[in-house]
């Protein structure tokens, strides 16, 4: 066999030799390439210089050419040096990199560290074991010992870093918690408490599943398969072949499988379908929402966890697996609803007339969190939006959707993001999410709109310490599919606490939107109203309902002086930052614009009062009488902190350099003498105070809000009358971020709400129907930048 291989190799080399150009040809090609490219570049440089009428451009472009020439020589030099690396190490390096990548979660820092540490340690150990250390020169001995020390230090450091769960991040003050005592908990039992119904379970499915008896020989109710070909791309090749081999079916016969938790009784009961996200196809995770099934069924809701594991990723997808399949995930949910409607109308079914088909909700996690939005959109479509020859026409009464740490934009109908109208929407996301690290659900939140006169609402909750996986009991604390120990899991909430939050909020949301139990609705405007039910952490929640009327949402144009309401205008005084722009997240943009407003009082110290002459204000001027509001209305807006500089004009082109020459020799001498007089002790104290100040968490931002009516009457109240503004939550997902000192954060909004009947206590003479000005007066925190959006009024 070896002889045959050598003969083939010899023949290939002989054929290549026949067509390999000689030295003369290579020399000619090189001269032609350099000569023609140089001539063309010279002609371009001269012509462009004449066009620009700027002789300096010729100098610039000549320098540009020299940089290219030097770069070419540098690259050749690097390749020459690399070629001198021994073949054994080159081979080991090229093999080790891909082998390291997967277990190290494709994290560049871990990869580089692993290569350096193992290389140094292996080289030093080999020298000592081989007994050649004594023959080395003094310099090489020093290098060997140094390499051994670095290698051992790195190895020990890796063990020390790998062993603990993680490390504490810098503490941050919980702004809402400071004023929680004056917020009364909702006077009702916790929505996470089990209800009065006895819970029963069953499964439904194809009866043919190769790996799960609960959907095969042990299935309770058999279902028909569905043809998913129109909704699935790239079910082909090796990946498609293996998928069919493992599953036992193809895209034309997708199963309708589900676990069901249901209340014993006559009903009819609301129905909720839940779908998992992308996980390994072979690791079935639909059972991981059983805790929600037990709870909701006990409270009178039928709960089905849908199996869509056959759409998940597999190791076999290395050659290319399913692509942008989230519409298929949503479509399968609608096929499940079709099945439930059939059972509800079949007098031979155990669910005959037990489903309230006017009260339907969908819950999705991760990719499933995006899929439920696609399902709600497809539900209203007469035909498939990517191929109108495929009829749909479901039109089920889906009242509500819940997205748990959803992705956004994995699939785009018609190359656009899914926008929904007149549906209740709730999204949860954790700040410590290592999978969907950006609050992607806030993008879908922006794309939910309401008609006038409807009673729908949308809400979002962002949870410090929550990760991606612990909302599912089978996913746990490993968000990345690699070694969990690479993640910084020290700041995580416990799995029990994280699921308790999901239970409270999801149960309250479904009680409100499916069972008209409005006593839980205030929870979505303020997490503190459920403080007796919820684990203690930082919650940032947004809320908007169909009654909201915007004075300023900042999406109407690019003029910072105009607002959403036709005759409303905006002005500012003494601010250091003022612009309107698209809101950026860690990944992508939110899909909404907001106002960025900053202020900076340089010479004020703690305890000082801000003089009126320098006080910064941001004012909404209301020209029309606000006839739609009354004493039961609520003034509301959403706000986040921006960590950008509040004094951007203190550097760069804004710095005044005209008086530099005033620094005379005498002044310099005075400075030197004063420095010599300063004691070392004072210097050390200053350094210690600076370090203490850096470690101390910043106090939340506070300022005053001032309303003025047509007769000049005013109401003044602090932002903290609801809550001070939470400082931006900075997290470290990976342990390596403690070495690189890298924090991750983004603008996450909090909705502030001020009932007008409450504000009238500040001035009973104030006429809320003739509000003419609403001003943010920055008089409490001496510097900061806020991002404000959706200023307006809603119903109580």
């Amino acid at each position: 066999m070896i002889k045959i291989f050598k003969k083939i190799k010899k023949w290939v080399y002989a054929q290549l030799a026949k067509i390999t150009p000689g030295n003369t040809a290579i020399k000619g090609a090189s001269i032609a390439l350099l000569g023609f490219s140089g001539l063309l570049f010279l002609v371009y440089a001269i012509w462009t210089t004449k066009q620009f009428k700027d002789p300096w451009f010729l100098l610039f472009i000549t320098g540009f050419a020299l940089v290219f020439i030097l770069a070419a020589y540098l690259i050749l030099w690097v390749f020459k040096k690399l070629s001198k690396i021994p073949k054994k190490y080159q081979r080991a390096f090229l093999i080790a990199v891909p082998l390291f990548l997967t277990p190290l979660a494709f994290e560049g820092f871990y990869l580089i560290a692993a290569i350096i540490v193992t290389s140094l340690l292996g080289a030093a150990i080999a020298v000592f074991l081989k007994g050649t250390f004594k023959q080395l020169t003094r310099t090489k001995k020093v290098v060997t010992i140094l390499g051994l020390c670095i290698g051992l230090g790195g190895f020990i450091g890796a063990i020390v870093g790998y062993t603990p769960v993680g490390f504490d991040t810098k503490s941050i003050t919980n702004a809402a918690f400071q004023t929680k005592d004056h917020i009364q908990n909702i006077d009702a039992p916790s929505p996470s408490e089990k209800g009065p119904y006895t819970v029963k379970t069953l499964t439904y499915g194809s009866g043919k599943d190769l790996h799960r008896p609960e959907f095969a020989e042990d299935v309770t109710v058999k279902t028909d398969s569905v043809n998913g070909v129109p909704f699935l791309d790239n079910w082909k090749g090796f990946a498609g072949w293996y998928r069919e081999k493992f599953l036992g079916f193809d895209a034309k016969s997708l199963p309708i499988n589900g676990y069901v938790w249901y209340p014993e009784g006559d009903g009819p009961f609301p129905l909720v379908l839940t779908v998992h996200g992308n996980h390994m196809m072979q690791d079935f995770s639909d059972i991981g929402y059983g805790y929600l099934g037990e709870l909701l069924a006990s409270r009178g809701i039928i709960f089905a966890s849908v199996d869509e594991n056959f759409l998940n990723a597999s190791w076999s997808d290395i050659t290319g697996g399913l692509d942008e399949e989230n519409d298929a995930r949503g479509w399968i949910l609608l096929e499940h609803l079709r099945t439930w409607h059939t059972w509800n109308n079949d007098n031979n079914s155990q669910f005959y007339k037990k489903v309230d088909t006017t009260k339907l909700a969908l819950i999705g996690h991760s990719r499933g969190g995006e899929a439920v939005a696609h399902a709600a959109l497809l539900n209203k479509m007469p035909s498939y939006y990517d191929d109108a020859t495929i009829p749909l026409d479901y039109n089920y009464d889906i009242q509500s959707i819940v997205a748990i740490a959803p992705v956004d934009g994995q699939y785009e109908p018609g190359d656009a993001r899914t926008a929904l109208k007149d549906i209740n929407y709730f999204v949860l996301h954790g700040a410590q999410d290592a999978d969907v690290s950006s609050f992607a659900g806030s993008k879908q939140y922006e794309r939910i709109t309401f008609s006038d006169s409807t009673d729908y609402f949308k809400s979002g909750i962002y949870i410090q310490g929550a990760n991606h996986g612990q909302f599912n009991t089978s996913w746990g604390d490993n968000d990345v599919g690699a070694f969990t120990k690479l993640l910084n899991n020290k700041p995580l909430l416990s799995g029990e606490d994280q699921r308790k939050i999901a239970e409270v909020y999801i149960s309250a949301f479904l009680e409100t939107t499916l069972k008209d139990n409005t006593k839980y609705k205030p929870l979505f405007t303020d997490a503190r109203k459920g403080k007796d039910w919820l684990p203690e952490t930082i919650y940032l929640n947004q809320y908007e309902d169909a009654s909201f009327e915007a004075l300023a949402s900042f999406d109407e144009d690019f003029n910072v002086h105009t607002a959403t309401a036709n005759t409303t205008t905006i002005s500012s005084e003494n601010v250091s930052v003022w612009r309107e722009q698209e809101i950026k997240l860690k990944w992508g943009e939110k899909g909404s614009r907001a106002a960025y407003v900053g202020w900076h009082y340089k010479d004020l110290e703690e305890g000082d009062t801000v003089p009126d002459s320098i006080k910064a204000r941001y004012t909404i001027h209301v020209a029309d009488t606000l006839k739609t509001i009354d004493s039961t209305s609520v003034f509301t807006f959403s706000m986040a902190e921006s960590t950008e500089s509040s004094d951007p004009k203190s550097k760069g082109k804004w710095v005044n350099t005209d008086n530099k020459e005033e620094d005379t020799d005498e002044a310099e001498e005075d400075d030197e003498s004063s420095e010599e007089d300063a004691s070392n002790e004072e210097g050390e104290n200053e350094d210690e105070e600076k370090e203490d100040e850096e470690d101390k968490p910043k106090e939340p931002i506070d300022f005053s809000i001032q309303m003025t009516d047509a007769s000049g009457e005013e109401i003044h109240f602090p932002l903290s009358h609801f809550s001070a503004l939470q400082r931006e939550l900075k997290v470290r997902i990976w342990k390596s971020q403690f070495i690189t000192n890298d924090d991750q954060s983004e603008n996450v909004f909090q909705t502030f709400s001020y009932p007008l009947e409450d504000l009238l206590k500040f001035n009973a003479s104030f006429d809320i129907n003739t509000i003419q000005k609403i001003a943010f007066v920055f008089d409490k925190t001496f510097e900061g930048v806020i991002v404000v959006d959706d200023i307006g009024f809603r119903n109580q």
Side-chain angles (χ1 to χ4, degrees):
M1 190 71 183
I2 295 174
K3 288 182 178 179
I4 294 172
F5 177 76
K6 286 182 176 179
K7 285 182 178 180
I8 294 172
K9 181 180 176 182
K10 186 177 180 181
W11 180 84
V12 170
Y13 281 164
Q15 302 310 308
L16 289 174
K18 291 178 183 178
I19 60 173
T20 302
N23 290 334
T24 303
I26 292 173
K27 185 176 181 181
S30 303
I31 293 171
L33 187 62
L34 280 172
F36 185 70
S37 62
L39 179 63
L40 186 62
F41 188 85
L42 182 62
V43 171
Y44 167 78
I46 295 171
W47 180 82
T48 307
T49 302
K50 286 184 177 181
Q51 291 290 313
F52 290 172
K53 297 176 182 175
D54 182 359
W56 286 99
F57 178 76
L58 184 60
L59 181 63
F60 163 75
I61 205 164
T62 302
F64 206 57
L66 288 173
V67 169
F68 280 139
I69 294 167
L70 289 172
Y73 277 99
L74 179 62
I75 291 169
L76 288 172
W77 179 82
V78 170
F79 276 122
K80 186 178 180 181
K81 292 298 180 184
L82 289 175
S83 68
K84 292 182 179 179
I85 295 175
K87 295 291 184 187
K88 287 182 180 179
Y89 188 79
Q90 288 183 16
R91 191 161 44 244
F93 179 85
L94 292 173
I95 294 172
V97 168
L99 292 181
F100 272 139
L101 274 175
T102 300
L104 296 179
F106 291 86
E107 279 290 295
F109 179 86
Y110 292 134
L111 174 65
I112 294 168
I115 290 171
I116 292 173
V117 168
T118 53
S119 296
L120 289 175
L121 197 56
I125 290 173
V127 168
F128 282 106
L129 289 178
K130 199 75 174 176
T132 58
F133 179 76
K134 291 181 179 179
Q135 285 78 44
L136 298 178
T137 64
R138 182 180 297 175
T139 302
K140 286 193 174 182
K141 285 180 179 178
V142 171
V143 171
T144 301
I145 293 171
L146 185 61
L148 180 65
C149 292
I150 294 173
L152 281 174
F155 187 69
I156 293 168
I159 293 173
V160 170
Y162 186 83
T163 304
V165 176
F167 308 99
D168 287 317
T169 52
K170 288 183 179 179
S171 61
I172 183 168
T173 303
N174 187 336
F177 193 76
Q178 291 181 327
T179 51
K180 71 178 178 69
D181 291 337
H182 77 267
I183 304 294
Q184 296 220 334
N185 202 85
I186 295 169
D187 186 16
S190 170
S192 67
E193 288 183 11
K194 294 287 179 67
Y197 290 92
T198 299
V199 177
K200 305 189 77 174
T201 62
L202 59 79
T203 60
Y204 60 88
S206 65
K208 303 174 184 178
D209 198 287
L210 297 181
H211 306 281
R212 311 179 73 183
E214 61 269 35
F215 298 139
E217 63 269 17
D218 296 338
V219 72
T220 312
V221 181
K222 286 190 177 181
T223 55
D224 295 328
S225 299
V226 294
N227 186 352
V229 169
F231 305 92
L232 290 171
D233 297 322
N234 218 28
W235 187 309
K236 59 185 179 181
F238 173 74
W241 171 84
Y242 177 78
R243 194 173 288 273
E244 291 174 18
K245 188 77 174 173
F246 178 82
L247 296 169
F249 56 83
D250 60 15
K252 295 179 181 178
S253 53
L254 303 180
I256 299 296
N257 297 340
Y259 278 90
V260 184
W261 291 260
Y262 64 99
E264 187 176 39
D266 295 333
F269 302 108
L271 171 66
V272 176
L273 300 186
T274 296
V275 62
H276 55 81
N278 190 40
H279 207 55
M280 286 303 291
M281 181 178 72
Q282 297 84 351
D283 185 12
F284 314 116
S285 57
D286 40 307
I287 193 64
Y289 307 102
Y291 70 100
L292 286 174
E294 289 283 347
L295 171 65
L296 296 175
S298 76
R299 298 178 71 90
I301 294 174
I302 299 172
F303 181 93
S305 183
V306 169
D307 167 29
E308 294 188 7
N309 292 284
F310 47 85
L311 298 182
N312 281 357
S314 168
W315 61 266
S316 57
D317 292 343
I318 192 168
T319 59
L322 298 181
D323 186 38
E324 298 179 357
E325 80 294 338
N326 269 1
D327 56 329
R329 294 176 190 265
W331 167 75
I332 289 173
L333 286 174
L334 295 176
E335 287 298 311
H336 277 258
L337 285 179
R338 187 197 295 277
T339 301
W340 278 95
H341 279 73
T342 301
W343 290 337
N344 199 50
N345 294 320
D346 181 1
N347 57 12
N348 292 317
S349 169
Q350 67 190 91
F351 291 111
Y352 177 61
K353 299 302 180 186
K354 288 193 175 182
V355 180
D356 185 348
T357 55
T358 67
K359 302 290 185 181
L360 307 175
L362 305 176
I363 301 174
H365 186 183
S366 195
R367 287 196 190 183
E370 180 185 315
V372 293
H374 294 318
L377 182 64
L378 284 166
N379 180 56
K380 297 293 185 181
M381 295 291 171
S383 56
Y384 182 38
Y385 31 65
D386 279 356
D387 184 353
T389 65
I390 300 169
L392 298 176
D393 207 23
Y394 292 100
N395 290 310
Y396 299 132
D397 287 323
I398 301 173
Q399 298 294 310
S400 309
I401 54 178
V402 176
I404 303 172
V407 302
D408 187 72
Q410 191 264 0
Y411 170 78
E412 295 182 326
D415 294 327
R417 299 291 172 96
T418 296
L420 302 174
K421 188 172 184 178
D422 293 340
I423 195 167
N424 298 297
Y425 182 75
F426 178 62
V427 58
L428 307 90
H429 201 97
Q432 206 67 24
D433 193 317
D435 187 354
V436 185
S437 59
S438 193
F439 191 6
S442 65
K443 302 177 186 181
Q444 181 64 70
Y445 177 95
E446 293 292 338
R447 302 193 302 270
I448 305 287
T449 58
F450 308 117
S451 304
D452 299 338
S453 76
T454 59
D455 194 30
Y456 297 103
F457 74 93
K458 59 182 178 179
S459 180
I461 192 77
Y462 189 78
I463 309 155
Q464 185 190 40
N467 77 340
H468 193 76
Q470 290 186 145
F471 291 115
N472 181 308
T473 54
S474 69
W475 288 4
D477 62 359
N478 188 354
D479 282 358
V480 294
F483 296 129
T484 310
K485 292 290 187 177
L486 301 176
L487 292 169
N488 180 39
N489 282 344
K490 183 70 179 291
L492 282 189
L493 293 167
S494 68
E496 292 76 14
D497 279 352
Q498 188 166 326
R499 288 187 286 277
K500 174 63 71 176
I501 295 168
E503 288 177 329
V504 168
Y505 269 101
I506 292 174
S507 175
F509 182 71
L510 298 176
E511 287 277 346
T512 303
T513 60
L514 298 186
K515 300 175 75 175
D516 300 321
N517 189 355
T518 56
K519 62 187 175 185
Y520 290 122
K521 194 172 183 180
L523 176 67
F524 300 97
T525 67
D526 188 349
R528 293 169 298 181
K529 293 181 179 179
K531 62 181 183 292
D532 293 348
W533 310 329
L534 293 165
E536 186 176 318
T537 188
I538 296 176
Y539 300 91
L540 298 175
N541 64 264
Q542 283 186 268
Y543 174 87
E544 185 181 312
D545 60 32
S547 72
F548 175 70
E549 290 190 35
L551 289 176
S553 61
F554 309 102
D555 294 317
E556 67 283 341
D557 57 35
F558 295 93
N559 187 347
V560 296
H561 294 281
T562 59
T564 307
N566 288 335
T567 56
T568 301
T569 58
I570 301 172
S571 67
S572 72
E573 300 172 44
N574 299 323
V575 296
S576 57
V577 175
W578 185 20
R579 68 182 186 279
E580 293 176 10
Q581 73 169 53
E582 185 78 17
I583 303 162
K584 296 184 185 300
L585 301 177
K586 278 183 273 188
W587 294 99
E589 296 176 329
K590 193 179 181 187
S592 177
R593 293 169 59 81
Y596 287 67
V597 183
W599 66 100
H600 188 96
Y601 306 130
K602 297 179 181 178
D603 300 323
L604 296 182
E605 298 180 357
E606 189 175 346
D608 291 348
T609 301
V610 182
D612 287 337
S613 59
I614 64 169
K615 199 173 287 183
R617 296 170 179 266
Y618 181 77
T619 306
I620 310 291
H621 301 269
V622 185
D624 288 343
T625 301
L626 299 174
K627 296 178 180 178
T628 57
I629 70 170
D630 55 34
S631 60
T632 64
S633 298
V634 177
F635 173 57
T636 181
F637 53 86
S638 292
M639 188 181 291
E641 182 203 16
S642 173
T643 54
E644 66 190 86
S645 172
S646 62
D647 191 20
K649 295 180 182 178
S650 62
K651 55 187 177 180
K653 64 181 180 180
W654 300 101
V655 176
N656 184 0
T657 58
D658 293 340
N659 298 322
K660 279 185 177 178
E661 56 273 11
E662 292 179 8
D663 296 330
T664 61
D665 292 339
E666 184 180 344
E668 289 176 3
E669 290 173 4
D670 290 343
D671 289 342
E672 289 173 5
S673 62
S674 64
E675 288 173 8
E676 290 172 358
D677 292 340
S679 68
N680 291 333
E681 186 179 348
E682 287 176 350
E684 290 173 4
N685 289 339
E686 286 177 5
D687 290 341
E688 288 175 5
E689 287 174 7
K690 188 175 181 180
E691 287 178 11
D692 291 341
E693 193 65 30
E694 288 176 356
D695 292 336
K696 184 180 177 183
K698 286 185 176 180
E699 283 299 306
I701 291 174
D702 199 7
F703 53 82
S704 295
I705 301 173
Q706 177 183 311
M707 292 183 173
T708 308
D709 68 12
S711 62
E713 292 287 343
E714 294 181 346
I715 291 178
H716 297 262
F717 58 94
L719 179 75
S720 54
H721 184 64
F722 175 84
S723 169
L725 178 60
Q726 181 64 52
R727 294 286 183 172
E728 200 168 272
L729 298 182
K730 295 182 179 180
V731 298
R732 293 184 177 181
I733 303 288
W734 299 93
K735 289 178 180 176
S736 61
Q737 290 175 289
F738 288 89
I739 300 173
T740 59
N741 198 30
D742 178 30
D743 293 316
Q744 292 183 341
S745 64
E746 63 186 351
N747 296 146
V748 177
F749 285 76
Q750 167 78 42
T751 298
F752 292 75
S753 302
Y754 302 90
L756 293 186
E757 62 181 355
D758 189 21
L759 297 183
L760 287 174
K761 296 174 185 176
F762 292 101
N763 183 355
S765 302
F766 187 83
D767 182 5
I768 58 175
N769 292 310
T770 64
I771 295 175
Q772 290 198 333
K773 291 181 185 178
I774 302 171
F776 295 162
V777 185
F778 304 107
D779 56 353
K780 298 184 182 299
T781 303
F782 290 164
E783 61 176 286
V785 181
I786 61 169
V787 191
V788 62
D789 197 10
D790 295 326
I791 303 171
F793 294 88
R794 62 169 174 85
N795 293 339
Q796 176 76 296

